[in-house]
Amino acid sequence: MTPDETSASASLEPADSAPAPPGAIVPPEIAAEAKRLRDWLNYHSHRYYVLDAPEVSDAEWDRRFRELSDLEAEYPDAITPDSPTQRIGAAPADFLPAYSHRQPMLSLGNAFNAGELVAFDGRVKRVLGLDGDATVEYVTELKMDGLAVSLTYEEGRFTLGATRGNGSTGEEVTNNLKTIRSLPLILRPEGPPQPSRMEVRGEVYMTRGEFARLNAERETEGLPLFANPRNAAAGGLRQLDPKLTARRRLDLVCYEIGYHEGPLVETQREVLDALAAWGFRVNPHARLCPSIAEVVAFVEEWETRRETLEYETDGVVVKVNSLALRSELGQVSRSPRWAIAFKYQPPRAVTRVEEIAVQVGRTGALTPVAVMEPVALGGVMVRRATLHNEDEIRRLDVRVGDTVQIQRAGEVIPEVLEVLTTLRPDGAVPFVMPTECPVCGGDVERPDGEVVTRCINVACPAQRRERIRHFASRGAMDIEGMGPALIAQLVDTGLVKDPSDLFTLTADHLIPLERMAEKSVENALSSIEAAKDRLVERLLFGLSIRHVGENVARLLTARYPSLQELAQAPEDTIAAVPGVGPVIAASVHAFFREPHNLRMLDALAAAGVRVRSEAETVLVTEGGAIAGKSFVFTGTLSTMTRLEAERFVIARGGRATSSVSKATDYLVAGEKAGSKRAKAEQLGALILTEAEFRALAGLDASGVGPPESAALLQIPLPVAASEESAS
Ligand code: IVH
C-alpha cells in the first residue's frame, strides 16, 4: 500500500462512530472509498481463487476486507450487492424455492469407447449433410464430477443461481453460491461484449483435498462420512443456511452459456475464453480438436492423467465447436445432438461372495445384498454389494461361493456387475427370494408389475428400526446421538414403535439401556427436544411415506402449510401440486388414511413437534389466483424485476416460462413488450399490465399473499378484454 493510500483511508475515519442512519446519503468520498476497496478486493480474489496467481498476502487481503466491513458497518447504505462482504452472512432460508430455467439444462448421451465417439462424429456429419471425409471441429473438456448449476447475470451482476434439478426446474441457491469465492459477483469489463442477461452454466465440485479434510473432521465429530466428493458438494450446496455451505469450501468451473439476451461469440472455444475474460474459472485443460481423431487421442491421454488432478473427473465432454452448427444440429429428447459425454470406467474389483443376506428397509422392501471377502475398490475396502432385487439376482444368477466382478459407480454401496461363471464351485445353488420376512417372519408380497418384494407387516421390527433411523437422520429430523445401536434397543424393548414415541422418552427409560451413561442420556434427550422445532418439510420427509423424498416433501409443504391440511387433502388436489402427480399423491393419501398414522400425527403435535409451517411464502390457498397458472413476463417491469416476479409466481405454485405457448394463461406485459405479446394474444392468453398482475397476486391488497377467492380468475380483466377484441 502506498503512503497516499494510507492517508486517504485515514482521512475517512468518521468523527462520530455511531452508524449513519439508514437512508442517509452516503458522502461521495465514502462511496468512492468503498468502491476502491471493493474493486481492490474483487481484483485480488480473482487473482487468488480463479487464476491461482495471488499478488498480495492473505494478511493484506484480510486487512482491506476488515476496512471495508468497518466502513459498511458505519454506512450501511454504502453496501452494494457485489461487495465481497455480501458473500457470507445471508440469513438461513426456510426452504429452497423452485426455479424454472429459462432454457432447459440438457443432459448428455454417453460414449464408452473410441468406436462410439467415431459413430457420434458420423451422426453429426450426417445431420449436417457433410460427406464422410469432411472434418468437424470439436472442443474437449474434462467432465467435472460435481453438480451442474445455472448462474444468472443481469447487466454484469450475479442475480440468481440454481441447481439443475430435473433440467427444467431446479432449486434456487443464490446465497449459497455466493459463498463460493471463485464465483464472480460482478463481471470484469474485459473480453467480448457481454449479453445483457444470461444464464452461465457450470459445475460446483469439491477438491479431493477438501473432501479428505471434511471427512476427517466429520470422523472426529462422530458424523457419517460422505461417500464421494460429489455427494459432499451436492449436500453442501443444498443447505438452507449459507454458513453451512461456506464451511464446505466448494469450487466452481464454468463451461457454457445457456439463455442469453444480446450478443454472443461464435464458437465454444470463444465461449470459454469469454467466460475466463469476464472472471469465471474455466478448466485449463480444454482443447480444440480439428477432428474426431484428436478427440480420441485426448480421451486416451486423460485416462490415466486424470488421476493426478486435484478433483475427480468421470469423463470428457465432447462438443461441436461452432455455435452455428450446434443450432443446426439441435437436440433429440433431452440431449443435444452436438455434444456427447465420454465416460471412463468406474473402478472395479473381483472378489468372492460368502453369503447373500436379505435386508428389510423402512418401507418393507427386501433388498438382497452380497456379503463378500473384503476387497479394495477405488481406494476403500468394501465388503457388501447391493444386488438390488429379485429380478436383478436372477439376471446375474449370483450364487453363494461365486467369484464376482463389482463396481463402485459413485454410490455408497457398490454393485455386482457380473459373475465369473467359469470359477463357480460345484454344488452352488441358485438364490431364492425368501417367501417370508427374514426379520419378522411375516408375509411378503410382490405386486404385479413391481420388482420389489415387500414385508407387509407394518409392525416388523426391521421396518420400525429403519423408519426411526430415517426419521432421526441428518436429512430428516437430525437427532444427533440417535445412533443405530440406541435405536435398535429402543425398538427391541418396545419403548419406541413409531417416531412420535421418541418424544415421550425420559431419562428413566434410557438409563437402563446398554452403553447409556448419564451424559449420553442427557445428550439424546436434548437433541430430541431440539428436533421438535425442525421445518415441517423435514418432518414430512422423515415419516417414510413411499415416494416422498426430500424434494417432494418440500413441494408438498410449500402447498400445504400444515400436516393436518395435507392429511385431509383430496387425492386429486395433492396430485395437482406441480411436481407431484398421481403416484405420489396416491401414496400420500393412503398414508393419511391409516388410523395408526393419524394417531402418530396427533401424538407428534401433542408432544409439541412443529407440524405447521410458519413461512410467509406458503400462502398458497385453495383459490389462490396464481397456483397452477402459467405466466410469461415480458418487457420491463417497474415495481419488481422480472426474476422477482417469476420467483413470486413459482413460490405460489404457479409456473413461469420464458416463451408463450398454448399452455400460457397470462402474459404480463411491462414497458416495451415485444413480439411475445402478439403471440399471446393470438393464442388466447390473458394480457395483464403490471398493475393488474399485482392486483391478481394480491400484492397491493394488504401486503400479504394472494386473495383467497378465485373470483379474480373468472373475471376477464377489462384492459385485456378490450385488447383482445381489438386484435
Ligand atoms: S456441458 C448440453 N460441459 O455433465 C450441455 N457438462 O451429462 C450439457 N458436466 O449436467 C452440459 N463437466 O453436470 C458440460 N465441461 C462440461 C461438463 C459438464 C461436467 C456435467 C454437467 C451435466 C452433465 C451432462
Side-chain angles (χ1 to χ4, degrees), residues 105-110 141-149 164 201-203 253 255-256 268 314 317 319 335-336 338-339 341 343:
M105 294 180 76
L106 303 175
S107 54
L108 294 179
N110 294 324
E141 295 165 22
L142 294 179
K143 187 169 184 299
M144 311 296 299
D145 198 8
L147 83 158
V149 291
R164 176 176 184 279
R201 268 79 196 264
E203 198 86 355
V253 289
Y255 44 65
E256 284 286 326
Q268 173 65 7
D314 56 345
V317 181
K319 304 172 179 177
S335 309
W338 46 261
K343 290 277 189 72

Side-chain angles (χ1 to χ4, degrees), residues 7-166:
S7 58
S9 57
S11 68
L12 295 175
E13 286 288 308
D16 178 357
S17 62
I25 292 165
V26 181
E29 68 278 15
I30 298 288
E33 171 66 356
K35 177 166 188 332
R36 196 181 64 82
L37 285 167
R38 275 197 313 268
D39 290 349
W40 190 94
L41 290 162
N42 282 337
Y43 172 83
H44 289 286
S45 282
H46 178 249
R47 299 286 321 173
Y48 185 95
Y49 290 104
V50 177
L51 304 179
D52 284 329
E55 288 172 355
V56 296
S57 70
D58 292 4
E60 182 166 10
W61 196 91
D62 291 344
R63 197 163 51 73
R64 301 276 184 121
F65 185 86
R66 232 171 309 125
E67 260 180 59
L68 179 61
S69 316
D70 291 349
L71 192 150
E72 288 176 345
E74 208 76 50
Y75 297 95
D77 287 327
I79 302 175
T80 60
D82 61 309
S83 168
T85 59
Q86 301 305 297
R87 285 194 185 269
I88 37 175
D94 280 333
F95 70 108
L96 301 177
Y99 175 72
S100 307
H101 301 293
R102 303 206 124 221
Q103 190 170 303
M105 294 180 76
L106 303 175
S107 54
L108 294 179
N110 294 324
F112 295 97
N113 53 50
E116 291 176 7
L117 286 175
V118 172
F120 161 72
D121 180 56
R123 274 197 305 279
V124 166
K125 287 193 263 193
R126 205 179 52 241
V127 177
L128 293 176
L130 300 173
D131 61 60
D133 307 335
T135 50
V136 174
E137 243 181 16
Y138 295 100
V139 171
T140 46
E141 295 165 22
L142 294 179
K143 187 169 184 299
M144 311 296 299
D145 198 8
L147 83 158
V149 291
S150 180
L151 314 168
T152 298
Y153 285 80
E154 290 171 282
E155 307 302 342
R157 273 171 211 280
F158 174 60
T159 51
L160 185 142
T163 61
R164 176 176 184 279
N166 62 13

Side-chain angles (χ1 to χ4, degrees), residues 554-605:
R554 201 170 297 129
L555 294 171
L556 288 170
T557 29
R559 172 68 178 78
Y560 300 97
S562 76
L563 288 192
Q564 280 88 351
E565 277 165 81
L566 177 61
Q568 285 158 16
E571 191 173 330
D572 53 348
T573 322
I574 303 176
V577 175
V580 174
V583 174
I584 300 172
S587 167
V588 172
H589 190 255
F591 180 89
F592 288 115
R593 293 297 156 297
E594 295 278 349
H596 59 266
N597 289 333
L598 292 174
R599 274 198 300 277
M600 168 172 73
L601 198 57
D602 288 343
L604 285 167

Side-chain angles (χ1 to χ4, degrees), residues 623-647:
I626 287 187
K629 297 288 162 186
S630 177
F631 287 77
V632 173
F633 293 89
T634 186
T636 314
L637 304 180
S638 63
T639 61
M640 56 177 95
T641 69
R642 220 144 73 184
L643 216 56
E644 280 167 351
E646 289 169 4
R647 286 161 63 182

Side-chain angles (χ1 to χ4, degrees), residues 180 200 208 216 223 225 297 305 393 451 453 483 532 574 611 630:
I180 302 177
V200 172
R208 299 181 204 258
L223 296 170
L225 303 188
R305 215 179 140 188
I393 290 208
V451 292
T453 307
K532 289 183 180 173
I574 303 176
V611 291
S630 177

